[in-house]
């Protein structure tokens, strides 16, 4: 293999349609009607990590942001769901400036009738159907090794796709 590409995938939302006891979640006011999977593809993960650390230092040194409760906590690090909306916006702006990164996203509407008929009432089937659609967006190249990092899951090595 002559080239490595790193694929990082994370989700926003929850693939579940049912709570314990098979109670339908879509009848609850807190039901999340969509699941979104986002994917970042990079070639030089060490360089990107350094850029992110530098961005984080800028935030910590900026009086506009370093007084925000979550930012001024010891050992603060970027985490989308826990960051202040202004910090998230700055990070999105930072990512948009990067030329050496590709973004992909799929959004799945959580429709119970489709979940029953297509995914057999199985949240994992729904999740992996979306994951399959997301990974299908990549233009795979010969002689490339793909390292896939799923949020809170194992690393998967894809060769020769």
């Amino acid at each position: 293999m002559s080239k490595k590409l790193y694929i990082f995938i994370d989700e926003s939302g929850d693939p579940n349609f049912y709570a314990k006891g098979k109670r339908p979640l879509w009848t609850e006011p807190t039901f999340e009607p969509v699941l979104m999977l986002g994917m970042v593809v990079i070639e030089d993960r060490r360089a990107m990590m350094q850029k992110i650390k530098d961005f984080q230092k800028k935030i910590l040194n900026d009086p506009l942001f370093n007084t925000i409760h979550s930012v001024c906590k010891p050992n603060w690090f970027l985490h989308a769901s826990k960051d202040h909306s202004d910090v998230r916006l700055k990070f999105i702006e930072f990512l948009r400036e990067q030329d050496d990164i590709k973004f992909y996203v799929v959004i799945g509407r959580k429709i119970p009738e489709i979940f029953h008929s297509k995914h057999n009432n199985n949240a994992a089937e729904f999740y992996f159907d979306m994951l399959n659609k997301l990974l299908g967006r990549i233009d795979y190249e010969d002689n490339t090794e793909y390292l896939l990092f799923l949020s809170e899951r194992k690393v998967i090595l894809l060769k020769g796709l």
Side-chain angles (χ1 to χ4, degrees), residues 1-9 39-45 102 104 134-150 154-161:
M1 298 285 151
S2 61
K3 179 177 165 183
K4 282 187 182 181
L5 287 178
Y6 297 88
I7 302 168
F8 296 91
I9 296 176
M39 174 172 63
V40 175
V41 180
I42 58 175
E43 191 168 340
D44 189 344
R45 72 181 179 144
K102 291 183 181 176
Y104 303 86
L134 184 65
L135 290 170
R137 296 178 152 280
I138 297 174
D139 292 325
Y140 293 99
E141 304 168 13
D142 292 334
N143 299 317
T144 301
E145 187 174 80
Y146 295 87
L147 288 96
L148 176 61
F149 297 82
L150 292 169
K154 290 185 176 183
V155 176
I156 301 166
L157 176 63
L158 308 170
K159 291 185 179 183
L161 292 173

Side-chain angles (χ1 to χ4, degrees), residues 15-41:
N16 292 310
F17 282 70
Y18 292 97
K20 287 183 181 177
K22 288 288 190 182
R23 188 180 84 247
L25 291 172
W26 62 87
T27 63
E28 305 287 327
T30 57
F31 179 66
E32 298 172 346
V34 297
L35 173 65
M36 180 169 57
L37 296 182
M39 174 172 63
V40 175
V41 180

Side-chain angles (χ1 to χ4, degrees), residues 9-11 79 81-82 127 149-155:
I9 296 176
D10 201 359
E11 64 265 353
H79 191 281
S81 67
K82 294 181 176 79
Y127 180 89
F149 297 82
L150 292 169
S151 173
E152 300 181 26
R153 291 168 177 81
K154 290 185 176 183
V155 176

